[in-house]
Amino acid sequence: LTEAFKYSTDWYFNRLVDQVSVNKIKYWMDKCNYGNADTSGGSHDFWKTGGLRISAEEQIDFLKKLHQNKLTFSFLHVKTVVALMSQTEDGLQHHQSCTGIFKDQDKYCVWHIGFLSQEKEPEYFAGMIMSGETGNDDLSKVAISVSQQVLEDLQPSINYYN
């Protein structure tokens, strides 16, 4: 699961959808108010090329609720997801994020969402880039690089990424 999460491994998540069922996923997306919670487009494609849509603001709202354990999931499950998102840790901060890739018509899109924990309250972020070219690894790296630059521009005294 750790590697599948880190690399957005579609085949692994398709198997999970098959085991859990789209109806159960729809139930939980509705319960968590996750975007439009639309599972149309097929069990393996609803989040990539199907009907599921979510804004950056909705991504951040969901991530805050998840991180603050304000959803209906068990603390252990929340802790597991947050651990899966873990990227770097040093004396100043802890950075957790993930990427997700989908295709919208002729464009490839990559989300990069996460949060930065320091001594103060966490800072949440969500961004999406679009490209007409393929290359999941390259697009993920670009999305992370863009997020890094924006976060450093907002608070230049902190090195968010090592």
Side-chain angles (χ1 to χ4, degrees):
L1 180 59
T2 301
E3 294 298 307
F5 198 90
K6 183 177 181 178
Y7 297 108
S8 297
T9 309
D10 285 346
W11 67 263
Y12 184 88
F13 293 108
N14 288 342
R15 284 189 182 171
L16 287 180
V17 170
D18 291 342
Q19 290 175 3
V20 174
S21 88
V22 175
N23 290 337
K24 184 77 97 174
I25 292 171
K26 168 80 170 136
Y27 168 83
W28 284 107
M29 286 194 305
D30 284 336
K31 193 166 178 93
C32 295
N33 197 28
Y34 188 78
N36 65 2
D38 184 348
T39 57
S40 66
S43 63
H44 293 174
D45 294 319
F46 69 90
W47 70 87
K48 296 179 292 186
T49 57
L52 181 62
R53 296 292 180 268
I54 188 165
S55 69
E57 292 83 9
E58 289 169 321
Q59 288 275 28
I60 290 171
D61 185 54
F62 175 80
L63 191 56
K64 280 182 184 178
K65 288 176 184 172
L66 178 72
H67 183 235
Q68 296 167 356
N69 202 25
K70 292 184 177 177
L71 298 171
T72 58
F73 304 117
S74 74
F75 176 74
L76 179 61
H77 290 140
V78 170
K79 186 177 175 182
T80 299
V81 171
V82 170
L84 287 170
M85 293 176 69
S86 186
Q87 298 291 318
T88 62
E89 187 171 3
D90 60 31
L92 292 175
Q93 52 79 34
H94 195 94
H95 162 233
Q96 284 136 316
S97 69
C98 63
T99 58
I101 300 168
F102 66 98
K103 188 172 183 182
D104 186 14
Q105 297 175 6
D106 62 342
K107 301 283 186 198
Y108 289 87
C109 308
V110 179
W111 276 106
H112 183 223
I113 66 167
F115 61 93
L116 304 156
S117 299
Q118 300 169 29
E119 293 177 10
K120 56 183 182 174
E121 290 293 312
E123 295 184 43
Y124 299 89
F125 63 89
M128 184 180 66
I129 63 167
M130 297 167 74
S131 172
E133 300 176 15
T134 62
N136 292 354
D137 290 338
D138 291 340
L139 284 177
S140 292
K141 289 175 186 173
V142 170
I144 291 168
S145 177
V146 168
S147 296
Q148 174 185 358
Q149 189 60 56
V150 169
L151 292 167
E152 287 176 355
D153 287 350
L154 291 173
Q155 293 196 7
S157 63
I158 298 171
N159 179 12
Y160 290 110
Y161 298 78
N162 295 327

